[in-house]
Amino acid sequence: MNSTRINREQNITPRAAARYWQATLARDSRADGTFVLAVRSTHIYCRPSCPARRPLRRNVIFFRTREEAEQHGYRPCLRCRPNEISAQVALVQRAAQHLAQSSEDGSSLRDLARMLGAAQATLRRAFMRVTEMKPRELAGALRLKRFKALMRSGKSITDALYETGYGSSSRVYERSNAQLGMTPATYRKGGLGMKLEYTIATSRLGKVLVGATQRGVSAVYLGDTETSLIAELRKEYPRAEVAPAPHSFERWVKEIMLRIDGKQPHFELPLDLQATAFQQRVWKELQRIPRGRTRSYSQVARSLGQPKAVRAVARACATNPVSVVVPCHRVIREDGALAGYRWGLSRKEQLLARERAAAD
Ligand SMILES: [Zn+2]
């Protein structure tokens, strides 16, 4: 297969390929994130700005995203690390998460920078680079209730900006998406920019994997073997940096063990979840079900004020990443049958039985 043909399959026009090649020759860091170049002779792919020697043009294939390059069997270059997101994108993402969660109406760039531990100028530059917004526009957006509401509802920052009329030219929109290396819909998925550490404990229900970021617990999985749980975690967060951390959040693990034993929790566990607004509402509602008690999917839907959303509630339960902490095991079918459980029905049964015994 020659490179022209492969590039045509990636929907990269000859003109775009020529532009990419120019950026590659110039090691233009502004093009980072808009495409990667794969080298056929080495099976490695790079960012445009990679400091390594330039390959021969005839050995180069371009891909829009690193995922595509990897699907074609290329491995990330160890020098330019094209599989890691740039510090600027990571900073903007952290800022976006913070904005989405904070309840104040008007955070200034200065407050935001202080909160993130970044210099104001650094934050401003990162925003300019990623969203192409001038500081004044950015400040305006930050003050906008609607912008914040969109962020809270799970929109990506570029989507939220677009929908509130900032950066509304499609060129800006496309460019910022390209720089994030993915489409807006997947922006929050996959744990991009997340640093996830995990530890595995042994409980009465078998192995328990607890995954957490600095901010809170992101995963509680139950299973038979460590390897299957770790594989599950990597599948759930394919873009996150995942590493073992045997002792760093022992307090949280102990707290989770209490709940597995059906006992009274000692404290509210901080959670760091990637979720849509609806999932968040369902998961909060589940946390209101008392220990040892159950609700049906339609009861949960009704208490959310959306009686018709039974299937969506069931889906939100099935996708709950923090089992036990968000007690999706307390939701059962209308007729009292246990319905499904991601970690096996017998675990659901045991959890409920132990909770009932401990709550009596
Ligand atoms: Zn490289």
Side-chain angles (χ1 to χ4, degrees):
M1 235 194 267
N2 65 41
S3 61
T4 326
R5 200 171 127 212
I6 293 177
N7 274 339
R8 205 168 297 141
E9 283 167 12
Q10 309 309 320
N11 287 321
I12 290 171
T13 62
R15 254 180 77 193
R19 212 170 58 234
Y20 291 170
W21 180 240
Q22 283 310 313
T24 302
L25 289 177
R27 294 192 171 87
D28 186 349
S29 65
R30 285 171 307 177
D32 283 0
T34 61
F35 70 91
V36 298
L37 58 131
V39 185
R40 293 196 294 167
S41 47
T42 56
H43 292 282
I44 297 269
Y45 71 93
C46 288
R47 303 170 187 258
S49 67
C50 181
R53 234 182 89 193
R54 299 293 80 173
L56 292 172
R57 174 67 186 93
R58 64 164 188 270
N59 286 335
V60 170
I61 304 162
F62 297 111
F63 294 98
R64 286 236 169 74
T65 63
R66 60 181 180 82
E67 287 85 356
E68 283 171 291
E70 285 177 14
Q71 274 157 22
H72 283 79
Y74 291 91
R75 282 170 292 118
C77 166
L78 291 176
R79 275 188 80 177
C80 65
R81 300 184 184 274
N83 51 330
E84 288 173 14
I85 54 165
S86 82
Q88 286 182 323
V89 173
L91 184 63
V92 168
Q93 268 185 315
R94 276 174 58 217
Q97 270 163 3
H98 178 78
L99 289 174
Q101 281 157 8
S102 92
S103 53
E104 311 137 54
D105 279 333
S107 26
S108 68
L109 190 66
R110 191 176 59 193
D111 294 342
L112 191 57
R114 200 171 42 215
M115 199 71 76
L116 299 168
Q120 261 188 79
T122 309
L123 184 60
R124 191 183 294 121
R125 261 201 310 276
F127 262 100
M128 277 288 272
R129 173 78 201 289
V130 176
T131 67
E132 286 203 344
M133 283 179 69
K134 295 192 188 79
R136 191 150 24 100
E137 292 175 313
L138 171 62
L142 298 188
R143 274 192 295 274
L144 218 61
K145 270 196 178 142
R146 197 169 127 62
F147 173 76
K148 293 194 51 163
L150 285 168
M151 291 289 308
R152 268 200 292 274
S153 73
K155 294 273 180 187
S156 75
I157 188 162
T158 46
D159 271 354
L161 288 171
Y162 187 63
E163 286 184 28
T164 42
Y166 288 94
S168 53
S169 91
S170 62
R171 192 187 66 83
V172 167
Y173 186 51
E174 276 165 18
R175 180 146 183 249
S176 43
N177 288 337
Q179 289 202 329
L180 295 172
M182 65 204 77
T183 57
T186 58
Y187 176 70
R188 283 169 172 274
K189 289 184 191 155
L192 187 87
M194 252 174 133
K195 241 185 162 161
L196 205 54
E197 301 194 314
Y198 67 86
T199 181
I200 295 174
T202 304
S203 77
R204 297 206 228 181
L205 296 179
K207 299 284 178 202
V208 187
L209 178 147
V210 178
T213 68
Q214 300 257 298
R215 283 192 298 267
V217 177
S218 304
V220 179
Y221 296 171
L222 309 172
D224 295 324
T225 66
E226 299 194 2
T227 42
S228 67
L229 291 176
I230 297 167
E232 192 83 24
L233 185 69
R234 290 191 193 276
K235 211 171 93 195
E236 187 95 32
Y237 296 98
R239 295 187 173 104
E241 219 179 283
V242 173
H247 304 298
S248 51
F249 35 80
E250 244 160 325
R251 233 168 66 106
W252 295 349
V253 177
K254 270 190 196 147
E255 188 59 32
I256 290 164
M257 291 306 209
L258 271 183
R259 289 162 204 228
I260 288 177
D261 287 338
K263 292 186 184 137
Q264 175 84 43
H266 285 167
F267 60 87
E268 198 81 58
L269 278 157
L271 297 177
D272 188 6
L273 305 176
Q274 308 204 335
T276 64
F278 184 76
Q279 282 174 316
Q280 279 183 29
R281 286 180 56 215
V282 174
W283 296 344
K284 276 205 183 110
E285 193 58 38
L286 300 188
Q287 290 184 305
R288 290 202 191 103
I289 308 174
R291 213 154 36 98
R293 306 283 281 278
T294 55
R295 296 267 186 283
S296 70
Y297 293 105
S298 44
Q299 279 174 328
V300 174
R302 272 200 302 277
S303 51
L304 290 171
Q306 287 176 255
K308 286 187 180 149
V310 179
R311 293 186 64 160
V313 165
R315 230 177 359 257
C317 292
T319 52
N320 165 31
V322 282
S323 63
V324 189
V325 180
V326 168
C328 61
H329 61 275
R330 292 178 197 154
V331 187
I332 60 172
R333 245 169 41 193
E334 210 72 47
D335 59 9
L338 285 186
Y341 191 52
R342 184 175 167 190
W343 313 110
L345 267 188
S346 101
R347 290 200 174 90
K348 184 171 185 172
E349 211 165 12
Q350 290 179 61
L351 275 167
L352 285 172
R354 209 158 286 143
E355 285 186 356
R356 276 192 208 109
D360 280 342

